[in-house]
Amino acid sequence: MIMAEQPMLKFVNIERDMPEKRPPDLRRTDFNEIYAEYADAKAKEQSSRCSQCGVPYCQSHCPLHNNIPDWLRLTAEGRLQEAYEVSQATNTFPEICGRICPQDRLCEGNCVIEQSGHGTVTIGSVEKYITDTAWEEGWVQPIKPGRERPESVGIIGAGPGGLAAADVLRRAGVQVTVYDRYDRAGGLLTYGIPGFKLEKDVVMRRNDQLAQGGVNFELNCNVGVDNSFADIRARHDAVIIATGVYKTREIQAPGSGVPGLERAIDFLTASNRKSFGDAVEDFDSGRLNASGKKVVVIGGGDTAMDCVRTSIRQGATSVKCLYRRDRANMPGSQREVANAEEEGVVFEWLSAPKGFVGDPVTGVMVQKMRLGQPDVTGRQAPELIEGSDYVEEADLVIMALGFEPEDLPTLWGEADLPVNRWGTIKADYVSGQTALDGVYAVGDIVRGASLVVWAIKDGRDCAEAILKRLDQGATAVAAE
Ligand SMILES: Cc1cc2nc3c(=O)[nH]c(=O)nc-3n(C[C@H](O)[C@H](O)[C@H](O)COP(=O)(O)OP(=O)(O)OC[C@H]3O[C@@H](n4cnc5c(N)ncnc54)[C@H](O)[C@@H]3O)c2cc1C
Ligand code: SF4
């Protein structure tokens, strides 16, 4: 009897192999993604390393609970279209998550073969490969609802949270309008995250797919200025707030407020706009352009990593990143730190800004820190080392200390919109329902600055909750 070859569990003989990275000298010169695509044979080979665990920890640590072992097996067997169907059943934008999820903290960080020392299955890269192939093969099509429904939902914010909700609602035939203050949809996918992590045509083709499927976009519409929240609420059967968090945490220190100190979001938005070919006055004037400058970025999260790597690509003469804890305790992805170091970024760990010198800025006063006793959260608090101050030269300083929500109740004149003491909207964690009837909220505006994959999850769950409610309403009307 001829036995069929076992397609999986090859991790013992096959080593982990990420798609090839472009050499640092080359990637420093452009904003293209740094990882090449897997060749078909490599995607199959890497998928075949999965051990098909009975209890897949990768799946339980993926916020979307993607059926990872299933689509890995289908890929290993060469059944790519089926792999795509399984993958897109739980994830609205798999090719985006495959590119930018911090897999080391989510699915891949919990892969059982990683725990046993064999190196994780490269889940994110395979997820990206499956859906990029689906786009190339024409398997990704505009939404065609089985029937049109009369109800409409307004979504404020065209980031991943709002767009994931729009997708689910439109598939069910609901009339969907997405309002956004920017001129392009995508939220931080479009204007925050740089092209070297997520090329812009990957986002734009999703925007086009939604528009072709009947999602109505009202762009350049700043709710609270161009249109009132009350007005939007009156237009729709339900409203989802998906506005993200954009207020920059500031440093209150001597010397602040001078030219040369810039907010990360302004710097990144200007850079992304230039990649689209837009005219950007503050970039063209040199204000938000790192070219020929000594750049210091303050912060240790994803935004800081994006700023340092953008500065390198813009032609800064030197780029340093100041972070008050050490490498092991930084919030940003370790993979991104390694990429930044390869590209020439210097990290000054255990370093905090004390103030700024010059007007315009010529340097940052730095004080060195050490890690003290763990606080109540178990995280070691940074402590100052007296007498260790020095000045780090800089002619562009970028603040990347995190984001807070804008004050929506005041901006929108909606005192009843429930927010907690951090300003994020109070909403049910599964449905997104707020205390206002028919008003829901998802993504960063509920969680605080978080991740794309969580915004997608929130958007999908909220849309399902709204559909349930609309169905109950429709049943009640039919029974009258
Ligand atoms: C620089 C940077 C890098 C990041 N890198 C990663 C990463 O690598 N991986 C990852 O998973 N996450 C990353 N994140 C986090 C991630 O981008 C967010 O968690 C995610 O985009 C949140 O989605 P959202 O839909 O809630 O909001 P957003 O993406 O912020 O979208 C909100 C939208 O609402 C619109 N809006 C706001 N107010 C109004 C108004 N009044 N009227 C109309 N429209 C309005 C905005 O214009 C925007 O388009 C990064 C964040 C930043 C800032
Ligand atoms: S969505 Fe993110 S966490 Fe989930 S499998 Fe994909 S890369 Fe991993």
Side-chain angles (χ1 to χ4, degrees), residues 203-337:
V203 184
M204 294 305 121
R205 71 184 174 190
R206 279 293 178 187
N207 293 345
D208 293 345
Q209 183 215 9
L210 288 166
Q212 285 159 12
V215 173
N216 178 33
F217 285 96
E218 282 198 24
L219 301 175
N220 297 307
C221 172
N222 189 355
V223 175
V225 177
D226 302 313
N227 241 321
S228 73
F229 176 65
D231 198 31
I232 286 175
R233 217 177 146 195
R235 277 195 214 169
H236 300 284
D237 296 284
V239 172
I240 303 175
I241 303 170
T243 49
V245 288
Y246 284 86
K247 200 168 111 194
T248 299
R249 285 198 192 119
E250 306 280 352
I251 303 176
Q252 302 300 340
S256 6
V258 298
L261 305 185
E262 300 295 346
R263 304 182 325 155
I265 193 70
D266 298 337
F267 177 69
L268 293 173
T269 305
S271 178
N272 278 313
R273 280 198 176 281
K274 285 308 284 183
S275 302
F276 280 110
D278 296 354
V280 183
E281 205 183 306
D282 284 335
F283 182 91
D284 299 335
S285 71
R287 200 192 114 197
L288 295 174
N289 184 349
S291 174
K293 293 183 182 164
K294 294 190 193 91
V295 178
V296 170
V297 175
I298 301 174
D302 282 333
T303 305
M305 296 310 105
D306 290 351
C307 289
V308 287
R309 298 178 67 202
T310 296
S311 302
I312 290 276
R313 284 160 176 78
Q314 288 182 355
T317 48
S318 68
V319 182
K320 293 200 171 173
C321 182
L322 302 185
Y323 181 56
R324 64 198 180 119
R325 290 189 164 89
D326 61 4
R327 186 185 196 116
N329 287 287
M330 69 178 295
S333 156
Q334 295 294 330
R335 193 174 60 186
E336 296 305 303
V337 179

Side-chain angles (χ1 to χ4, degrees), residues 62-64 66 68 71 91 97-98 101 103 106-107 123-124 127 453:
C62 164
L64 293 161
N66 283 342
I68 300 163
W71 45 254
N91 190 353
C97 292
C101 269
Q103 285 101 10
L106 300 169
C107 52
I123 298 168
E127 190 178 24
V453 65

